[in-house]
Amino acid sequence: MQFEPVLTKGIGKVDLTNIDVYEAQGGYQALRKALTSMEPQAIVEEVKKANLRGRGGAGFPAGVKWGFLPNDGRPRYLTVNADESEPGTCNNRTLIYANPHQLIEGIIITAFANRISQSFIYIRGEFKRGEAILMKAIEDARKKGYVGKNILGTGFSQEITVHRGASAYICGEESALLNSLEGRRGEPRVKPPFPAVVGLYGCPTIINNVETISNVPHIVKNGWEWYTKITANPDNPKSCGPKLFTVSGCVQRPGNYELPMGVKLRDVIEIAGGLRPGRKLKAVQPGGSSTPMLTPEHLDVPMDFESVAAAGSLLGTAAVIVYDDSVDLVDVALYWSRFYSHESCGQCTPCREGTHWLERVFTRIKEGGGTEGDLKMIADMQTQMAGTTICVLSDAAVAFPASLLKLFPEELERYINRVKEVRPA
Amino acid sequence: MTCSACKGITPDDPRFAELDAFIQDGHSSADFLIAVLHRAQQLFGYLPEEVQHHVAAALGVPPSEVYGVVTFYNYFTLTPVGKYPINVCMGTACYVQGAGRILELFEKELGIQPGQVTPDGLFSLDVCRCVGACGLAPVVTVAGEVHGKLTESDALKLVAELRERAAADQAEAGAAVATVGGESQ
Ligand SMILES: Cc1cc2nc3c(=O)[nH]c(=O)nc-3n(C[C@H](O)[C@H](O)[C@H](O)COP(=O)(O)O)c2cc1C
Ligand code: SF4
Ligand code: FES
């Protein structure tokens, strides 16, 4: 597939953490253009027309979200979600570690467009080095006059504060992130009100993913028309732009690949080196551990928000996890259920108890003590855990078990029937 | 020989002064709780009650809230870590490459479970999620240092090496104490 990378251009070839190198590649030109020749509202419109969809998982149009900020004179904040903890996902990490100035440029343009003077980057606890890279990049940008007071003499000022979390998956959920940023336990807040109206310190707050914000300079620099043409599936105008896919699991070259939105699942797997010789594809989670599985019949599904949803799953974080015929999916279910029961914040009963029960049920099944009743229990849990809680971690936790039961019941029954053989009724 | 980590922390411990300096350097309001706890854990290795109370008083936050935050986040720990904290990565890539077996091996060899410290204070064992070195799976970190593509015999060798290193350190420290004639810390 011929594709000129946008977000990862230069990574692996030149050192983009060096601000001069970044500038030599055209960096900070978009910031100059935005601050010196564009009205804030025009930038918001540009991003709306480009149809930039949030890359943090839900795919909400960024420009539309920005439009929700009330005009009531309260201070406004921008918070970049760099908590990246979805299992299988590590594309934000690459964008932070290898191209930090792109993110900083995006932050300043976004802040300018939304009349914000203070931004935060909430980075996950494990990214200690990432925190250092960002702090240095911010200082380098300050020396060049891109951060701080009166940027490029325009009168616009911007401070960026980096806050490192302390390891908790739930802090990626936007309202939990705000609590954590305020120094508290990262427990999600009840919505509405949404953060755009009542966010950080009770003030209007925009929260966007690292990759979302990293797209902004390119849209400003090249225009929305250019951006909407970046797609491998022109039939669907609702999803476009460059997308980082993190491919892991049973492929020969796992890693991050920047590809156009709408690329076929088949091509994503192919680009990641394909399956190991002699192996057959069993299933794929197209968007991280929280997304239901797709099967080989879906290989020609375009990887964009709408097409993956139509196929019964979600594009999520575009963390493509590939399982071949050597994988025991019950083992995977046990692994995921351990993860979610550990990471549930415990506020909602269906999630706190449900994730715990899923772990117990899969442990039991895996150890050979499962019954037909356990299969029914998994089915019941789907209705009880999804759509009943403060945040969607609960929905995410049952997504894999439910799709396992629906698509591969025989894998579960194999364990159940094994017990029957040992202990005849 | 007592291990320094198990000794109680007294109010005149010089590390409190260092922590206070950090707090006074623009981190004295409640919203800096997590940043202050990061610094405290960096200084003390863990967050015992004494340290939590100190932070609570300094930031004007109830101790219960400090405890709530400490126990909410994975990164913070209430138990002291060993001289060589061993962290076995149980992230997706490492799990698939047999991290479970490596963990069992450490458990057997050290006689402790994740979250515990050996009685001599030398080793502590823990599990973590992806450390971002999946290409080297299975990965183990020792005091932040990454050891990749670990086989079971590599793991055993690693423990033996660390034991030797500790013994050498101790011999050296012993010699120093003997010459100075001072008290061992
Ligand atoms: C349990 C949970 C974890 C999440 N983790 C992340 C994360 O690590 N990074 C992220 O950008 N969004 C994460 N999200 C989504 C955020 O809540 C939010 O939708 C997103 O940051 C908005 O940015 P975007 O519109 O640019 O995608 C998570 C959501 C949930 C429910
Ligand atoms: S759904 Fe789970 S993680 Fe989300 S708020 Fe409720 S208990 Fe917490
Ligand atoms: S899973 Fe262990 S380093 Fe990534």
Side-chain angles (χ1 to χ4, degrees):
Chain A
M1 164 160 308
Q2 281 300 326
F3 176 67
E4 187 65 36
V6 177
L7 305 171
T8 58
K9 184 182 162 197
I11 292 181
K13 298 189 184 86
V14 292
D15 177 15
L16 290 169
T17 62
N18 179 327
I19 192 165
D20 295 322
V21 174
Y22 179 69
E23 285 187 303
Q25 195 179 285
Y28 286 111
Q29 283 174 13
L31 177 137
R32 213 169 272 278
K33 176 177 172 188
L35 266 60
T36 59
S37 73
M38 290 175 86
E39 284 300 315
Q41 192 51 37
I43 300 171
V44 177
E45 288 310 318
E46 192 80 22
V47 170
K48 263 190 206 163
K49 278 195 243 158
N51 203 5
L52 170 61
R53 306 274 297 268
R55 303 297 203 241
F60 196 83
V64 176
K65 191 191 287 191
W66 301 355
F68 292 153
L69 289 175
N71 245 328
D72 55 7
R74 280 182 295 164
R76 298 166 159 195
Y77 300 113
L78 168 64
T79 302
V80 176
N81 191 340
D83 192 52
E84 187 167 72
S85 312
E86 177 76 11
T89 315
C90 55
N91 49 39
N92 285 180
R93 182 180 182 278
T94 295
L95 293 175
I96 293 166
Y97 282 63
N99 204 353
H101 286 289
Q102 176 175 262
L103 175 61
I104 291 166
E105 186 176 10
I107 290 173
I108 297 165
I109 297 171
T110 305
F112 175 73
N114 292 289
R115 303 174 196 276
I116 289 168
S117 61
Q118 173 68 54
S119 304
F120 298 87
I121 303 174
Y122 184 98
I123 188 164
R124 68 177 290 190
E126 289 83 351
F127 289 176
K128 215 169 169 173
R129 199 160 67 79
E131 181 190 30
I133 289 171
L134 284 172
M135 306 258 257
K136 174 171 185 299
I138 292 168
E139 284 322 304
D140 290 348
R142 187 188 302 279
K143 282 184 208 133
K144 296 253 181 180
Y146 299 138
V147 171
K149 289 215 162 50
N150 192 16
I151 297 171
L152 301 177
T154 59
F156 176 70
S157 301
Q158 185 62 208
E159 280 305 326
I160 306 175
T161 304
V162 184
H163 173 102
R164 190 158 66 93
S167 291
Y169 169 63
I170 192 58
C171 289
E173 196 279 338
E174 54 188 19
S175 60
L177 182 148
L178 294 176
N179 278 340
S180 183
L181 200 50
E182 291 177 12
R184 293 189 270 145
R185 291 163 66 91
E187 285 162 345
R189 300 174 179 174
V190 177
K191 283 162 278 180
F194 289 94
V197 183
V198 180
L200 192 63
Y201 303 114
C203 291
T205 303
I206 294 176
I207 302 167
N208 275 125
N209 174 264
V210 168
E211 189 181 345
T212 314
I213 296 292
S214 295
N215 270 278
V216 172
H218 301 284
I219 294 172
V220 166
K221 193 166 152 200
N222 302 307
W224 64 271
E225 277 169 309
W226 164 83
Y227 192 81
T228 53
K229 288 198 190 97
I230 302 175
T231 173
N233 180 24
D235 294 343
N236 174 17
K238 289 186 174 153
S239 297
C240 59
K243 180 79 201 85
L244 260 66
F245 291 87
T246 308
V247 193
S248 67
C250 308
V251 289
Q252 300 201 55
R253 282 196 309 276
N256 284 322
Y257 296 92
E258 184 181 351
L259 300 166
M261 197 71 92
V263 56
K264 287 198 166 70
L265 175 58
R266 178 190 305 282
D267 294 333
V268 176
I269 297 175
E270 213 42 58
I271 287 162
L275 300 183
R276 286 172 290 187
R279 286 291 167 200
K280 267 189 10 220
L281 182 69
K282 188 189 266 185
V284 175
Q285 285 189 276
S289 63
S290 304
T291 57
M293 284 182 276
L294 296 177
T295 51
E297 68 180 82
H298 296 121
L299 276 170
D300 288 314
V301 168
M303 296 292 281
D304 57 51
F305 290 106
E306 287 70 23
S307 308
V308 179
S313 187
L314 295 160
L315 185 62
T317 60
V320 179
I321 309 174
V322 180
Y323 304 109
D324 70 18
D325 54 355
S326 70
V327 175
D328 176 356
L329 292 176
V330 176
D331 197 33
V332 178
L334 173 59
Y335 181 74
W336 288 153
S337 64
R338 277 196 196 125
F339 173 78
Y340 287 105
S341 88
H342 185 258
E343 298 299 339
S344 165
C345 86
Q347 286 188 104
C348 321
T349 308
C351 174
R352 181 185 61 244
E353 302 298 315
T355 51
H356 185 66
W357 272 101
L358 280 175
E359 182 182 356
R360 288 186 54 175
V361 166
F362 281 113
T363 306
R364 187 156 70 208
I365 292 175
K366 187 78 204 212
E367 285 171 356
T371 63
E372 299 281 351
D374 286 336
L375 302 190
K376 180 160 180 310
M377 178 132 113
I378 296 171
D380 286 348
M381 289 229 244
Q382 189 189 11
T383 52
Q384 288 163 8
M385 287 175 69
T388 56
T389 51
I390 295 176
C391 86
V392 294
L393 183 139
S394 189
D395 304 58
V398 274
F400 187 91
S403 79
L404 177 61
L405 192 62
K406 182 168 149 217
L407 302 170
F408 299 95
E410 68 283 357
E411 297 236 348
L412 282 159
E413 281 154 11
R414 204 180 63 217
Y415 277 99
I416 309 277
N417 291 336
R418 194 189 289 171
V419 183
K420 277 193 190 145
E421 280 162 30
V422 187
R423 283 189 257 142
Chain B
M1 193 95 211
T2 54
C3 91
S4 60
C6 316
K7 268 196 201 159
I9 292 169
T10 55
D12 56 0
D13 190 304
R15 290 172 290 188
F16 280 120
E18 261 185 83
L19 182 58
D20 287 339
F22 178 79
I23 293 171
Q24 275 142 29
D25 183 25
H27 302 98
S28 59
S29 62
D31 38 350
F32 289 106
L33 179 55
I34 292 171
V36 170
L37 290 173
H38 267 305
R39 182 77 183 114
Q41 184 160 303
Q42 201 186 8
L43 287 167
F44 292 92
Y46 70 121
L47 297 169
E49 234 174 82
E50 297 87 330
V51 174
Q52 291 180 50
H53 277 289
H54 185 89
V55 169
L59 301 190
V61 176
S64 61
E65 211 172 299
V66 174
Y67 181 74
V69 167
V70 168
T71 50
F72 186 87
Y73 295 95
N74 242 338
Y75 193 86
F76 298 134
T77 170
L78 297 168
T79 45
V81 289
K83 180 169 182 184
Y84 301 115
I86 298 180
N87 244 306
V88 181
C89 177
M90 293 290 259
T92 317
C94 292
Y95 184 76
V96 171
Q97 297 287 344
R101 280 202 310 279
I102 301 281
L103 176 64
E104 270 173 39
L105 196 88
F106 279 118
E107 287 173 355
K108 243 178 47 206
E109 179 63 21
L110 302 174
I112 51 172
Q113 294 292 308
Q116 296 179 335
V117 194
T118 52
D120 59 3
L122 219 48
F123 296 99
S124 54
L125 188 60
D126 228 321
V127 294
C128 62
R129 301 258 161 66
C130 185
V131 297
C134 311
L136 299 176
V139 169
V140 163
T141 68
V142 180
E145 194 180 292
V146 173
H147 299 262
K149 300 202 170 182
L150 219 70
T151 62
E152 292 176 41
S153 67
D154 289 343
L156 288 176
K157 234 178 23 215
L158 184 62
V159 173
E161 270 171 26
L162 292 172
R163 282 196 177 121
E164 270 173 37
R165 209 195 291 176
D169 281 357
Q170 216 162 58
E172 209 174 285
V177 168
T179 48
V180 179
E183 231 174 66
S184 147
Q185 270 291 321

